[in-house]
Amino acid sequence: FAPPPIDASAELVRNFVEALLDWKNAMDDERLDVYTSKFAPDVLINCNLYPIRPQLKVLLAQAAVFEYDANTVAVLAETILNRSDKIEDKLGISDVLVSDLALNPDLFAHYAPSQLLEDAQRCVIVLSLANRFVNDPTLRGHAIAIRTTNVATAVQVKCLIQDIEHTRDDLGGVPIAPDHFEGSILVCSSCHHLLVSVDEVEMLRDAADERHLAAAIRVGLYKRYVFSGTPLRWQDLPNFSIGHDFFASLTRHHVMSGSGLAERLVRAVIETICHDKLDATHALRIGQGPGDAQRLRGADLAWRRDIDRDFHLHYWDCHTGIVELAVLVVHNDFSIP
């Protein structure tokens, strides 16, 4: 949220505006939830960086960036700040006092004024604490957004914790000085770099409901198109639906355990939605004979995709063009809800 210095180049100014636009669009598209530090407004005010309209007006003019106006950019920043929940409230960890801090890589070393640096460091420590000690699998999909270009990596944290302000009852194992705490947290420079750094298989293993499952599949779809060299916008990814028995069937077959079935299932689901590797699919028929008619649900067609020798994915190829994931079955089960 801190504007670049007054003498910043046009490229830096555009990067600042584009970063705000990226996170605002990600919030609007419901790709993710954005959290901000509860101290962010006070830090910006104390550093004479908020309200940002006066500085933005000068900044845009000197950099000859005329495609944006100060009021529009300020509204972007204020919208994100006002709509986002506070990460301290989400985690139940409000503050931490440390010494002997080492970050690797130290992506915040150039931050100025010093209050910006200190709050960035505090956020890294709070999130890395939660990442290690709070039993919330969704934290593995959290990252700190920074404005450095094209970053999707983890920051390693090592420090002596002198004091923690929190409301949790599960932080008894946190090492307090003179013992060192060590942890890590993802950082990213855009929603794109966050999505490509998240592990969709781990997301599926941690899924507690259909919403989590759908998110894991969509992340996998997004990465599939990126890595194939034909990236799609989040809103342009192929649509799919999850049948009423699909999540329960994954639970019945222990997909969320540490086995490799989760990885094979994610691959099969993505291939199914993208209509890839059709040689692994077979029509689900009304009987056992190869000449029996394919099973129908109105105009929807029932199909079976091989995941491995033991497990198969049954799905409906709907007349609307959408794939409905129906059920995960074992080899001798030819049913479909």
Side-chain angles (χ1 to χ4, degrees), residues 209-223:
D209 53 35
E210 288 184 5
R211 179 172 175 266
H212 291 169
L213 175 61
I217 295 169
R218 286 184 68 79
V219 168
L221 281 169
Y222 182 86
K223 292 170 66 174

Side-chain angles (χ1 to χ4, degrees), residues 285 287-293:
R285 304 186 182 279
Q288 297 298 314
D292 290 339

Side-chain angles (χ1 to χ4, degrees), residues 39-285:
F39 298 110
D42 290 340
V43 169
L44 292 170
I45 290 170
N46 293 337
C47 295
N48 295 318
L49 296 171
Y50 195 83
I52 64 176
R53 281 173 176 80
Q55 182 165 333
L56 278 173
K57 190 173 182 180
V58 176
L59 185 64
L60 293 169
Q62 72 80 28
V65 175
F66 302 116
E67 59 266 43
Y68 306 112
D69 66 86
N71 187 63
T72 302
V73 178
V75 168
L76 268 179
E78 291 161 358
T79 299
I80 299 173
L81 276 171
N82 293 333
R83 280 178 52 189
S84 59
D85 292 327
K86 304 309 172 191
I87 193 63
E88 294 85 357
D89 296 336
K90 162 75 173 176
L91 300 177
I93 303 174
S94 56
D95 207 357
V96 60
L97 178 66
V98 306
S99 60
D100 197 20
L101 173 64
L103 303 180
N104 182 32
D106 191 354
L107 298 172
F108 312 106
H110 66 285
Y111 279 25
S114 60
Q115 280 186 281
L116 290 178
L117 171 64
E118 291 165 3
D119 200 47
Q121 292 174 335
R122 185 189 61 81
C123 288
V124 168
I125 297 163
V126 167
L127 275 160
S128 60
L129 271 168
N131 202 25
R132 179 170 171 186
F133 290 99
V134 174
N135 185 25
D136 182 353
T138 61
L139 284 172
R140 288 192 276 277
H142 281 230
I144 294 180
I146 60 176
R147 287 215 305 269
T148 303
T149 305
N150 298 340
V151 168
T153 188
V155 171
Q156 306 298 321
V157 181
K158 185 176 182 179
C159 63
L160 290 171
I161 298 176
Q162 306 294 338
D163 194 19
I164 309 176
E165 294 181 15
H166 67 90
T167 56
R168 305 192 63 90
D169 57 6
D170 56 358
L171 296 183
V174 174
I176 301 295
D179 295 325
H180 277 88
F181 162 73
E182 296 187 29
S184 65
I185 184 67
L186 285 172
V187 295
C188 63
S189 55
S190 67
C191 181
H192 165 77
H193 289 102
L194 173 59
L195 289 172
V196 298
S197 67
V198 172
D199 187 334
E200 65 274 20
V201 176
E202 286 303 313
M203 286 182 69
L204 182 137
R205 288 189 177 124
D206 293 331
D209 53 35
E210 288 184 5
R211 179 172 175 266
H212 291 169
L213 175 61
I217 295 169
R218 286 184 68 79
V219 168
L221 281 169
Y222 182 86
K223 292 170 66 174
R224 181 260 188 198
Y225 283 99
V226 168
F227 296 143
S228 68
T230 56
L232 292 180
R233 297 182 305 167
W234 183 260
Q235 57 268 40
D236 294 333
L237 294 174
N239 286 325
F240 63 92
S241 64
I242 296 176
H244 59 80
D245 196 45
F246 188 63
F247 185 82
S249 72
L250 305 193
T251 303
R252 284 196 300 273
H253 295 299
H254 310 288
V255 173
M256 284 69 168
S257 69
S259 73
L261 179 56
E263 183 174 3
R264 295 191 293 275
L265 175 67
V266 168
R267 183 172 60 247
V269 164
I270 291 171
E271 289 171 352
T272 298
I273 295 170
C274 296
H275 302 287
D276 286 344
K277 299 188 177 177
L278 296 179
D279 57 333
T281 63
H282 319 276
L284 265 180
R285 304 186 182 279

